[in-house]
Amino acid sequence: MTIAAPPAALPRVFDTGSPVVLPDGRHVPVAALNNAATTPPLATVVDAVVGMLGQYGALHRGSGPRARATVEAVEYAIEAIERFLGQPPENTLLYTTNTSSAINQLARLLDLGPDDVVVTSEIEHTSNNLPWRHQSAAQVVEVRADDEGALDLGHLAEVLDGLRGRVRLVAVTGASNLTGYRPDVATLASLTHDAGALLFVDAAQLAPHRRIDMAASGVDVLAFSAHKVYAPFGLGVLSLPRSVLDRAPVDPGGGSIDMLGADGSVLWAPPAERHQTGTWNATGIVALGAAVSAILDAGWGTIEAHERALTEVLVDRLEAVDGVTLTVDPQRYRVEDRIGAVPFRVAGLHHALVASALEAEHGVEVRAGTICNHRLVRRWVGADDAEQARVEAAMAGGDRLASYGVVRASLGLQNTVDDIDRLVTGLRALVADGPTLSYRAAPAEECWVPSA
C-alpha cells in the first residue's frame, strides 16, 4: 500500500527529502513522526515569508510603501485565519507566542473570582490545566475520562447541572495530543451554553487535522499555535468575543492606549486593539495565513482522508509488532475517527531509550515521556502512590529519566506508509535485539545519547 502526498492534492512541506547522517555514517531521509509536537513549514509558507521580508516595514508604527505593504500582507493573512476558524462575527483575534501563552492570557482576561468555576477534564494538556489554577482564583473542576482518554459526557452534564450559575467556562481539548481523541464539540457547546457558560477549545491539535467552524459548532473561545499548522514562526492565536476585551488590558504597553494624560489618566485604545500591545509578529501572521490558505485550498476532504488512511495503517502495523503494546485500544482509532496520535510501549525498554534508538539507528522521529498528560499515563503504567512519590523525588533531584512514560508516533501532511514502515522496522529490531549502539544516559535532557 502506498500513500503519498501528490503535489496537486496536498500542500507540499518544505524540504522533506533532506537526509540526515546517522552515527554509523548512513545517510537516510527522516521519518518525521513527531508532528503533534511541531510541524515543518509548508513550501508556500517559506515563499510567503521570504516575499514579505523583501518589503517588510513598520506594522502600525509608521507610513510609507513598506509599512503599507506589511499592513496589507498582515490584513490579508488575518482574513484567511478567520476563514480557517469559521470565526463568529462577534469575535476578534489576539496574537501571542503559542497556545500556552494564549490560554494564560485568557485566564487573566476573564478575571475569575473564588466563587467562579472553570470546568476542565482529566485529559487536558498541561497548558489547559495549569493556567486555570495559577492565573485565576476560580475553582477548577475536572470531568472524568476513561482509560482510552475519552471524556465522560454524562459526568460533564452532571457537573454542569450541579454547579449551574457558577460555571463561567468549560475548557476542553479539541483533540488530544496523546490519544488522538476528539470530543463532539457541538455537544459540548450545547451542554455548556445550557449552563450559562462559555466554551473554550484548546485547538492546538485539532487545527492541523480537522476542519474547524467555530460559528456553526458553537465554540465561543479558541486557541492554537501556528507551529502545529506548518507555520513555525512563533505565533499563537486566541479567538474570543470582543465583549471579553471591554476592560483594561492585562498586559498594557505600547499600542494599548490612545492618550496618556499628564496626571496619569489613560484613554485606552478600542477593545480589540488595547490588548494587542507592542509590535505584532507580522512574519508569524503572514506565515500562518499562507499555511491555512494552502490547507483550505487543498480541501479538508483530501487532508482528512489522507490522515485517516495513514492512521489505520499505523495502528494496524503497530498492533502486529510482538513486544509493542498500544496503550489505547486500536479499535478506538478505527471507529471514533481520532487524529493520528498513537501512544505505545515497548516491552523491557525505557520509553526514552526507544525514542533515542529510533532516532540514532533508524532516522525516525517520535516523542517519549508523559507528553504533558501525566495522570493518564500514570493510569496506564499503574503507578501507585508510593511509586509516584519515588518518581517525583528522583526527578526533583535532577533525574528526569526516573519518570514513567510512553512513546508516541504522530502523523502530518507529509507522511507516507514508508515512514510508518521505517518506524515498524526499527521497533522490530529493538524488540528482537535491543539497541545496536551503546548509549549513555542524559537525565537532565530525559534521553539517551549514543556513546562515542
Side-chain angles (χ1 to χ4, degrees):
M1 181 179 186
T2 300
I3 299 177
L10 294 176
R12 183 171 64 86
V13 172
F14 179 72
D15 202 20
T16 55
S18 296
V20 294
V21 182
L22 301 185
D24 64 6
R26 286 180 295 146
H27 289 67
V28 300
V30 175
L33 294 171
N34 191 22
N35 296 281
T38 199
T39 52
L42 297 179
T44 187
V45 167
V46 176
D47 291 343
V49 169
V50 171
M52 178 234 187
L53 292 177
Q55 54 184 355
Y56 178 70
L59 179 66
H60 307 149
R61 295 294 188 273
S63 60
R66 290 181 178 271
R68 172 48 50 192
T70 301
V71 169
E72 290 175 353
V74 167
E75 289 178 348
Y76 181 82
I78 289 172
E79 291 175 0
I81 297 166
E82 291 172 342
R83 290 198 308 275
F84 179 76
L85 296 177
Q87 179 171 270
E90 64 270 18
N91 275 33
T92 191
L93 299 176
L94 296 183
Y95 307 100
T96 65
T97 53
N98 48 48
T99 308
S100 298
S101 63
I103 299 174
N104 275 284
Q105 185 171 11
L106 174 63
R108 288 180 285 127
L109 281 169
L110 292 175
D111 195 22
L112 302 170
D115 292 331
D116 295 320
V117 175
V118 172
V119 176
T120 182
S121 83
E122 292 182 332
I123 65 168
E124 298 308 313
H125 189 285
T126 308
S127 294
N128 197 28
N129 180 312
L130 296 180
W132 308 114
R133 301 177 186 280
H134 293 271
Q135 299 280 16
S136 83
Q139 178 185 352
V140 178
V141 177
E142 293 186 351
V143 174
R144 293 191 297 262
D146 66 18
D147 289 346
E148 318 295 333
L151 291 180
D152 182 340
L153 294 183
H155 185 230
L156 172 61
E158 180 183 317
V159 167
L160 291 175
D161 187 57
L163 294 169
R164 187 174 300 273
R166 292 184 57 202
V167 179
R168 290 277 306 279
L169 189 78
V170 175
V172 294
T173 182
S176 170
N177 72 315
L178 179 63
T179 68
Y181 167 73
R182 296 191 306 116
D184 183 338
V185 173
T187 297
L188 294 178
S190 177
L191 291 170
T192 300
H193 295 158
D194 182 63
L198 296 174
L199 175 64
F200 165 69
V201 171
D202 171 1
Q205 296 299 326
L206 181 64
H209 298 284
R210 296 294 186 270
R211 179 175 179 263
I212 295 173
D213 191 333
M214 293 179 66
S217 59
V219 176
D220 302 295
V221 190
L222 179 145
F224 72 106
S225 294
H227 77 98
K228 308 284 191 183
V229 195
Y230 308 94
F233 289 85
L235 186 77
V237 175
L238 178 63
S239 173
L240 74 175
R242 289 181 180 84
S243 58
V244 175
L245 301 177
D246 192 12
R247 49 154 296 170
V250 295
D251 294 312
S256 63
I257 66 169
D258 282 343
M259 184 62 66
L260 182 64
D263 60 354
S265 61
V266 173
L267 176 62
W268 295 110
E273 300 173 21
R274 71 182 64 161
H275 299 274
Q276 198 66 59
T277 57
T279 299
W280 297 17
N281 180 359
T283 305
I285 295 171
V286 168
L288 179 58
V292 300
S293 293
I295 289 171
L296 292 173
D297 288 346
W300 277 113
T302 299
I303 291 169
E304 292 180 15
H306 175 73
E307 183 182 331
R308 288 188 183 102
L310 275 181
T311 301
E312 184 175 347
V313 173
L314 176 60
V315 169
D316 288 348
R317 297 196 179 175
L318 286 176
E319 188 181 19
V321 180
D322 290 337
V324 170
T325 302
L326 276 70
T327 54
V328 171
D329 181 352
Q331 190 63 12
R332 301 291 283 264
Y333 288 92
R334 300 181 182 114
V335 301
E336 293 180 2
D337 190 28
R338 298 187 177 212
I339 67 169
V342 182
F344 58 91
R345 303 175 72 191
V346 178
L349 292 175
H350 192 283
H351 54 276
L353 180 57
V354 171
S356 296
L358 286 172
E359 174 196 353
E361 300 175 24
H362 301 278
V364 176
E365 294 178 343
V366 292
R367 182 164 180 197
T370 51
I371 312 180
C372 296
N373 201 316
H374 308 81
R375 287 171 296 175
L376 188 56
V377 176
R378 178 184 174 181
R379 194 189 301 183
W380 288 340
V381 303
D384 60 18
D385 289 346
E387 174 64 8
Q388 180 72 14
R390 186 198 66 78
V391 167
E392 291 183 10
M395 295 181 71
D399 183 8
R400 302 172 84 180
L401 287 172
S403 176
Y404 43 74
V406 296
V407 183
R408 181 199 64 196
S410 54
L411 299 169
L413 285 171
Q414 75 277 22
N415 290 128
T416 67
V417 169
D418 287 343
D419 297 323
I420 296 171
D421 285 343
R422 293 261 305 284
L423 169 65
V424 170
T425 297
L427 290 172
R428 290 190 190 280
L430 285 171
V431 169
D433 304 313
T436 59
L437 299 177
S438 296
Y439 294 84
R440 61 175 176 83
E445 287 77 36
E446 199 177 351
C447 69
W448 267 266
V449 179
S451 301

